[in-house]
Amino acid sequence: MLYKELHQATRKFFPILLGYILVGLLFSTLLSPSRTASNNSIFHNWIIATLFLTMGAAILGGSDIIAEETGKNTLSFLLTRPVSRTNIYAIKFLVSATFLSVILLGTSLVMFLVEQLPQRYQSGWTPPGGDTVYKFVYPDKMPAGEAFTCIAVILGIGLAVLALTTLISIFSRSALHAIVTTILIAFGLIAFYAFSDLFLQISYRVNRVFDIYNGLGFWDFFVLLDLAAVLYITGLKIFKAKEF
Amino acid sequence: MLDFQKSFGQKPNRESKPVYSYAGENPFAIEIDRLFCTYGPKIAVDRLTLRVPTGAVYGFLGPNGAGKTTTIKTLLGLRGMQGGKIRLLNYDITTHGLEARQRTGYLAETNNLYGYMKVGEIVETARRLSSRWNSRTMSRYLDLFNLSTTQKISKLSKGMKGQLALALALGSEPDLLILDEPTSGLDPLKRYEFLNQIVREVSQAGRTIFFSSHNLNEVEQIADRIAIINEGRLIVEDELDNLKLHEKAVKVAFDRPVWVHDLENIPGVRHVMQEGRRFRLLVRGDAEEVAAELEKLGARTVELVEMNLEALFIAYLQGYRENTTENTGQTWQNEKR
């Protein structure tokens, strides 16, 4: 079971990892230095990008967990073997969650280390006989604790979205259907969070519009983890009762 | 002889071991007791009771929508049941589904293999999912079916996918093999070869095969016992040879008009089918006695006909439908009164 899921997840998450690397490269080279405001450190921009990237990766990663197997009739291959439905659902979810976490944390760590490099190694390109075109004008580095609190919260959001997408995937017969449904629900959630403290705190923290760190803490990660757990347990109960 | 009626009345056995020490001691590989399944308001299986003897090649027949696939899905735990009880290899599937599936192989009607995998990868997946896996047996089947572990599944022909699915089902050396329309989509030659392989590899090892099929010729070719269901209800269940021995057909023609009712009242006649100006009578028991009765009624020609499975199937289904219609009509008339 784990062998098969690792095999499948490697295929699925490889393009996602490439996406993270591409975005990382963009933010560490072209995009970050071109900005001149005070909110222009690599990691600030990375957090904004990775918030949406992680939600997208969670939707893509979770949408086909059950739906694709239902649509292609391959689920009966697993369900008729001596493996409990609890194990099937748990392994499928945990493998995707692990891949998502490793990719997010790994790339974020690299981006954080890149930000710690002396400026001359970060970017900046001087054409022969000209001025430097791109460079960090305002090296506004984010403290490590705050940086990884933000990443932890984003990971929590990613896991909650993954659990939600996996749940929706049970009812769908195609990954596309699951993706569309999840995006619609995610839009609803974003609209909800837009008015909630959490979203405002992330916005303030990232954009440095207001004085930073208005109560956003590592505890929020556990709140989101609770939400992911509730969605996971709901999905598991539905999966165990569903007729395939 | 073990008393199964008693064991049905007992509370579910919570131990992982079956009630009896080994499967060979159990005369039944599958015991379905008053199985009741619904899809919303529609009844799919209506209090079906069936016993499949250990070691039998058992054909499970019925028209489209009869409830065959629903029954098979319930046996395998792919769906729940609204009533009844099922024991698979002496395990109650509601409490010991995993143990039952450990010793059961399944070949689906549609291809349920992962197309993106290679043959070797899916074999490895199946091996890791089973604790009874025998790699030597698997290698033998791969050689037998000419399958290479480096071949991609999506590139295999339909017949080869079927053979791979069969090999995967047999890799864990199951005591019971459940096949749902195993040859659908195969051409007649492939179908013939595939069935022969199944019978050669499985039934000779003393295992039980329970299979559903629309193709009555292939059922007749390999089954030694059959059940016919319609609208979720069991119509008939017996050894195929017994059915053929006891069920006879008599073709009869008259010069004068005859009431079907008169023909139905002849002792031994189970069902009467009108075929143009002639009648085909399905007879259970002594067909010659029925022929003599028909001659007394003034039949012009009386001919004893050998029943094949197809004729039996049609006769039983028509008989069932006519009885159901008559019953429905009677109920309706009663209600009108």
Side-chain angles (χ1 to χ4, degrees):
Chain A
M1 181 71 206
L2 186 62
Y3 168 83
K4 184 233 150 213
E5 290 308 318
L6 284 173
H7 188 277
Q8 197 171 10
T10 310
R11 288 171 62 250
K12 189 168 64 180
F13 279 94
F14 186 68
I16 292 174
L17 174 65
L18 286 181
Y20 270 82
I21 292 171
L22 189 69
V23 172
L25 281 173
L26 279 174
F27 277 88
S28 65
T29 55
L30 295 175
L31 298 180
S32 285
S34 67
R35 300 182 70 169
T36 53
S38 62
N39 59 337
N40 66 348
S41 90
I42 290 176
F43 211 79
H44 288 146
N45 293 329
W46 170 253
I47 285 171
I48 297 168
T50 208
L51 173 65
F52 294 101
L53 207 59
T54 304
M55 283 171 68
I59 290 171
L60 282 176
S63 59
D64 63 348
I65 283 184
I66 309 291
E68 197 182 15
E69 297 229 26
T70 314
K72 290 182 178 170
N73 282 323
T74 51
L75 199 58
S76 65
F77 181 85
L78 293 178
L79 295 176
T80 54
R81 308 265 154 189
V83 191
S84 71
R85 289 194 182 200
T86 307
N87 282 358
I88 292 174
Y89 194 81
I91 291 172
K92 277 178 173 291
F93 177 79
L94 289 177
V95 166
S96 289
T98 307
F99 269 74
L100 184 72
S101 309
V102 167
I103 290 174
L104 172 65
L105 296 176
T107 49
S108 295
L109 182 67
V110 171
M111 293 301 287
F112 182 76
L113 293 175
V114 166
E115 195 182 55
Q116 305 308 311
L117 288 173
Q119 280 177 50
R120 63 177 180 280
Y121 296 119
Q122 287 180 8
S123 64
W125 174 63
T126 310
D131 293 330
T132 301
V133 177
Y134 297 115
K135 65 177 183 180
F136 277 99
V137 183
Y138 300 103
D140 188 11
K141 289 178 185 170
M142 194 184 251
E146 291 175 22
F148 279 91
T149 300
C150 280
I151 291 298
V153 171
I154 289 170
L155 178 63
I157 292 171
L159 292 177
V161 172
L162 182 70
L164 174 69
T165 319
T166 311
L167 193 156
I168 291 166
S169 179
I170 299 169
F171 299 102
S172 310
R173 288 193 73 83
S174 76
L176 187 66
H177 180 254
I179 289 169
V180 171
T181 315
T182 312
I183 287 173
L184 288 174
I185 293 175
F187 265 115
L189 285 174
I190 288 168
F192 171 75
Y193 275 113
F195 298 99
S196 75
D197 280 350
L198 189 67
F199 187 83
L200 288 174
Q201 284 159 18
I202 293 172
S203 305
Y204 296 161
R205 179 69 193 88
V206 168
N207 292 316
R208 301 290 185 101
V209 177
F210 298 95
D211 193 20
I212 58 166
Y213 215 67
N214 187 16
L216 178 67
F218 202 73
W219 180 250
D220 291 308
F221 168 68
F222 292 105
V223 173
L224 286 161
L225 217 55
D226 281 350
L227 176 64
V230 168
L231 288 167
Y232 169 80
I233 291 165
T234 311
L236 176 63
K237 285 196 174 215
I238 294 168
F239 182 69
K240 282 175 83 174
K242 181 119 170 43
E243 294 174 355
F244 292 99
Chain B
M1 188 70 184
L2 300 161
D3 190 346
F4 279 86
Q5 294 300 325
K6 274 185 186 173
S7 70
F8 268 117
Q10 289 169 356
K11 283 181 184 175
N13 176 29
R14 294 278 167 196
E15 290 170 18
S16 62
K17 285 182 181 175
V19 178
Y20 309 107
S21 55
Y22 60 94
E25 205 176 314
N26 187 350
F28 299 110
I30 302 174
E31 297 161 86
I32 302 172
D33 189 41
R34 295 178 67 79
L35 175 65
F36 189 71
C37 298
T38 58
Y39 288 104
K42 189 182 177 299
I43 296 171
V45 180
D46 192 3
R47 288 159 292 172
L48 179 71
T49 297
L50 210 62
R51 304 256 156 90
V52 177
T54 302
V57 180
Y58 199 99
F60 191 47
L61 312 175
N64 286 335
K68 303 188 297 292
T69 299
T70 305
T71 306
I72 287 178
K73 281 185 169 182
T74 314
L75 286 176
L76 293 160
L78 290 172
R79 55 157 295 142
M81 50 186 156
Q82 279 65 49
K85 209 168 194 178
I86 295 177
R87 295 181 78 84
L88 223 62
L89 298 165
N90 222 6
Y91 291 107
D92 186 330
I93 63 157
T94 49
T95 53
H96 295 96
L98 287 183
E99 287 91 337
R101 290 206 295 278
Q102 191 80 49
R103 294 166 56 194
T104 305
Y106 170 59
L107 192 58
E109 177 183 5
T110 50
N111 163 35
N112 68 351
L113 305 175
Y114 296 96
Y116 62 84
M117 284 188 178
K118 288 178 180 169
V119 172
E121 289 168 344
I122 203 157
V123 168
E124 182 60 15
T125 303
R127 185 186 74 77
R128 285 167 184 259
L129 290 171
S130 170
S131 61
R132 285 164 54 100
W133 194 258
N134 188 329
S135 295
R136 263 194 294 178
T137 306
M138 190 68 212
S139 302
R140 193 170 69 78
Y141 286 129
L142 291 181
D143 290 342
L144 181 74
F145 299 145
N146 259 338
L147 290 163
S148 159
T149 49
T150 54
Q151 284 174 295
K152 198 154 187 191
I153 293 169
S154 58
K155 299 275 166 65
L156 297 177
S157 69
K158 201 161 189 175
M160 288 175 92
K161 280 180 190 163
Q163 286 173 324
L164 175 60
L166 177 63
L168 291 168
L170 297 176
S172 60
E173 300 190 325
D175 296 322
L176 168 66
L177 186 65
I178 297 177
L179 315 168
D180 190 6
E181 301 279 354
T183 58
S184 66
L186 296 183
D187 62 57
L189 181 64
K190 286 270 178 219
R191 194 185 300 154
Y192 175 78
E193 288 173 353
F194 191 65
L195 280 175
N196 273 340
Q197 280 163 346
I198 292 176
V199 173
R200 197 168 50 237
E201 296 300 324
V202 184
S203 67
Q204 284 182 3
R207 294 171 185 149
T208 311
I209 303 178
F210 181 78
F211 75 109
S212 76
S213 178
H214 276 109
N215 191 319
L216 299 171
N217 287 334
E218 73 182 27
V219 176
E220 193 163 19
Q221 193 184 328
I222 65 168
D224 44 41
R225 199 174 179 94
I226 63 154
I228 300 175
I229 64 165
N230 193 27
E231 294 173 345
R233 292 180 197 162
L234 183 68
I235 299 176
V236 66
E237 194 278 339
D238 205 342
E239 279 183 23
L240 190 53
D241 290 342
N242 252 352
L243 285 177
K244 283 183 177 176
L245 190 72
H246 294 300
E247 304 289 351
K248 299 271 174 13
V250 178
K251 272 188 177 178
V252 60
F254 291 90
D255 287 328
R256 59 179 181 80
V258 180
W259 291 103
V260 174
H261 183 69
D262 290 340
L263 301 178
E264 283 173 341
N265 279 346
I266 298 172
V269 173
R270 286 171 52 83
H271 180 61
V272 179
M273 291 182 276
Q274 190 152 8
E275 298 173 340
R277 292 178 173 217
R278 304 175 71 167
F279 296 94
R280 184 192 286 258
L281 279 61
L282 179 63
V283 178
R284 177 149 231 182
D286 193 346
E288 285 182 7
E289 271 183 24
V290 173
E293 285 294 320
L294 288 167
E295 275 165 6
K296 276 187 207 166
L297 282 172
R300 178 163 48 87
T301 57
V302 179
E303 190 185 347
L304 296 181
V305 190
E306 183 72 22
M307 291 283 272
N308 61 9
L309 182 56
E310 195 164 352
L312 278 170
F313 182 77
I314 293 168
Y316 275 116
L317 278 183
Q318 282 189 337
Y320 172 82
R321 281 173 186 166
E322 282 165 21
N323 285 339
T324 316
T325 314
E326 279 168 19
N327 290 342
T328 313
Q330 201 173 6
T331 313
W332 180 77
Q333 281 172 356
N334 289 343
E335 280 172 3
K336 287 270 279 187
R337 277 176 208 152

